[in-house]
Amino acid sequence: MPNKLEVRRSALRKIREKFLESFSAVMPIGLIVLLLHFTIAPMPGGMFGSFLVGLLLLIVGMCLFSLGADLSMMPMGERIGAQLTRSKNLKFLIVTALVMGVLITVAEPDLQVLARQVPAVPDKPLIFLVAAGVGLFLVAALLRIIFQKSLRLILMVCYGLVFFLAIWVQPGFLPVAFDAGGVTTGPITVPFILALGIGVAAVRGGRSAHDDSFGLVALCSIGPILAVLLLSQFYDAAGGAYGATVPETPQSLGEIVSQYIQAFPHYAKEVLIALLPILGAFALFQVLFLHLPRRQMIRVGVGAAYTYVGLVLFLTGANIGFLSAGNFLGGAIAALSYRWVLVPIGMVMGFFVVAAEPAVHVLNKQVEEISGGTISRSAMLISLMCGVAVSLGLAMARVIWGVSIWYFLLPGYLVALMLTLFVPKIFTAVAFDSGGVASGPMTATFLLPFAMGACQAMGGNVLSDAFGIVAMVAMTPLLAIQILGLWSVYRQKKQPREKFALDETELIEMEG
């Protein structure tokens, strides 16, 4: 048994590693904003100060969240998933998954933000129908693992239905529907849902268990899209004007501090409400089935506290410091005579901002562990960064020239679905999971306001031109990760030929 000193040193080493990871993930986007501020788009002093405070909160918050996900969110999800499978009670699994999916989604902070930004639909119908969509598709995702059904086939059928319904939808609702699929898979739900699938697949076993460990986030992203498409049949997209709430620009250091102090209770309440369904479900399973020892429960409790504090800090920093900065920078750059520069700037932002999404690192770590290192964290991250860079470039092109999102989503998803026929199953599952994971709080609080600010400065239609950026960010990882899968297949086929050529050369040398 390690003594207390060794345990303390190990904990400090882990915190230091997580802090360095968070710092290296968040600072690049911070440096880009600093470069823009000191060159072509200087921000007001108070806004710049607020951004710097937000940057610090993001780094610390992401560090604590990452620690908490390792200690509590992942273990809770895996144990609940494993117990649901061991019970061999299909009704119990269906009811539990449905209730948890609905409750977790209703409490998702990003969904609350989305609902407030869609004036054509009342908040409550949108939130509860989207939550029902997530709950139903979470049930479907777990049943798929248990009965070993093809994820590729399910994705093709579901997205076929999505695009069939999209034909009859008013143009203003299409970006909203695909955005809903992205915002419901936030930093709170992703670690838990990922772990739930891993737990179910591990207990079910079989040769395809590691492939089936992923795909839950992918299917849970489809439910909200279908829900909004169905809801659009009962509301008029022109029923209101789109508007987002941007925090007021502080004028002094005192106002900056006051702004953050006033915001903390709001986000503390939001995160608590979002975490309660997961913690409550785990507590119930602990009492009825798990009976984990006190030491493990303390570990889970400490991890939950890290997760809670980390997310409060992260969301406060993102919503107060980054939202205003993003909106201002987008408007300032769009007002330049050379507004085309939005496209390359957007691509650079997209490349780095995905690394600051907390759930991305959780997914990448799980993929590396489950695949036994076949799919490395670095390869995953670089692929996602390249994919999101492309999506932001295209999104900025939409803002400048008012191109319909149809021309991007339809061919993008068709190519992504076609690629599923040629790549290993695990790459398909991971790719479609990545789409939901990449479009997290940084997209909602920085990239979307950036696009909105640019669109408003050019007098465009925010609802149809700027909205949909979450959808674009969610689409390109589907292509990027599956292209990585094609490259992996190519390398595996090439290696035996290279080895044979090498052996032949060595034989000739020996004979010589």
Side-chain angles (χ1 to χ4, degrees), residues 137-381:
F137 273 80
L138 179 59
V139 171
L142 293 177
L143 293 178
R144 180 197 74 82
I145 296 174
I146 292 171
F147 294 109
Q148 301 184 46
K149 298 300 179 182
S150 169
L151 177 64
R152 179 189 300 143
L153 179 61
I154 294 172
L155 288 172
M156 286 184 173
V157 171
C158 289
Y159 277 107
L161 179 59
V162 163
F163 283 104
F164 174 76
L165 290 174
I167 295 171
W168 315 103
V169 168
Q170 301 167 64
F173 271 109
L174 190 62
V176 176
F178 279 88
D179 280 2
V183 300
T184 49
T185 47
I188 295 173
T189 55
V190 164
F192 182 78
I193 290 177
L194 275 175
L196 201 63
I198 291 168
V200 171
V203 172
R204 195 217 66 198
R207 287 183 299 175
S208 63
H210 78 293
D211 294 342
D212 290 337
S213 298
F214 303 98
L216 264 75
V217 176
L219 291 178
C220 287
S221 297
I222 298 173
I225 300 174
L226 289 172
V228 176
L229 291 177
L230 291 172
L231 195 65
S232 69
Q233 304 302 313
F234 303 96
Y235 293 93
D236 183 5
Y242 178 80
T245 303
V246 179
E248 292 184 8
T249 302
Q251 302 301 318
S252 64
L253 179 61
E255 287 188 19
I256 294 173
V257 173
S258 175
Q259 195 176 52
Y260 276 95
I261 290 175
Q262 289 175 17
F264 273 122
H266 170 73
Y267 293 106
K269 181 182 175 182
E270 277 198 348
V271 175
L272 180 62
I273 292 171
L275 282 174
L276 279 177
I278 296 174
L279 297 175
F282 181 73
L284 188 63
F285 271 72
Q286 165 66 9
V287 172
L288 297 178
F289 308 110
L290 300 175
H291 310 299
L292 298 176
R294 183 170 173 269
R295 190 183 187 88
Q296 288 189 35
M297 289 301 295
I298 292 173
R299 180 183 174 89
V300 168
V302 170
Y306 279 143
T307 302
Y308 175 72
V309 175
L311 277 175
V312 171
L313 294 176
F314 188 94
L315 291 176
T316 305
N319 281 279
I320 302 301
F322 274 69
L323 194 150
S324 299
N327 190 269
F328 176 87
L329 291 173
I333 296 169
L336 299 171
S337 58
Y338 45 95
R339 61 180 56 165
W340 57 266
V341 79
L342 278 168
V343 175
I345 288 175
M347 292 185 73
V348 174
M349 284 183 173
F351 185 83
F352 289 108
V353 82
V354 71
E357 292 286 7
V360 164
H361 297 275
V362 176
L363 174 66
N364 291 353
K365 181 185 177 186
Q366 290 304 116
V367 170
E368 186 175 62
E369 290 178 359
I370 297 297
S371 68
T374 304
I375 311 173
S376 69
R377 271 190 274 191
S378 58
M380 277 280 296
L381 185 59

Side-chain angles (χ1 to χ4, degrees), residues 61-140:
M62 190 172 174
C63 168
L64 294 175
F65 168 82
S66 186
L67 280 169
D70 289 349
L71 291 172
S72 66
M73 301 299 285
M74 299 301 295
M76 283 193 290
E78 286 184 29
R79 285 184 168 86
I80 290 176
Q83 184 58 46
L84 285 173
T85 312
R86 287 196 194 99
S87 70
K88 296 182 180 179
N89 186 332
L90 211 55
K91 289 182 181 178
F92 177 61
L93 182 146
I94 290 170
V95 171
T96 304
L98 180 63
V99 171
M100 289 187 64
V102 170
L103 291 178
I104 292 169
T105 308
V106 166
E108 178 60 52
D110 285 349
L111 179 58
Q112 308 285 335
V113 173
L114 177 76
R116 289 194 293 268
Q117 293 174 345
V118 184
V121 183
D123 290 3
K124 286 186 179 179
L126 180 63
I127 290 170
F128 283 104
L129 198 59
V130 165
V134 173
L136 290 171
F137 273 80
L138 179 59
V139 171

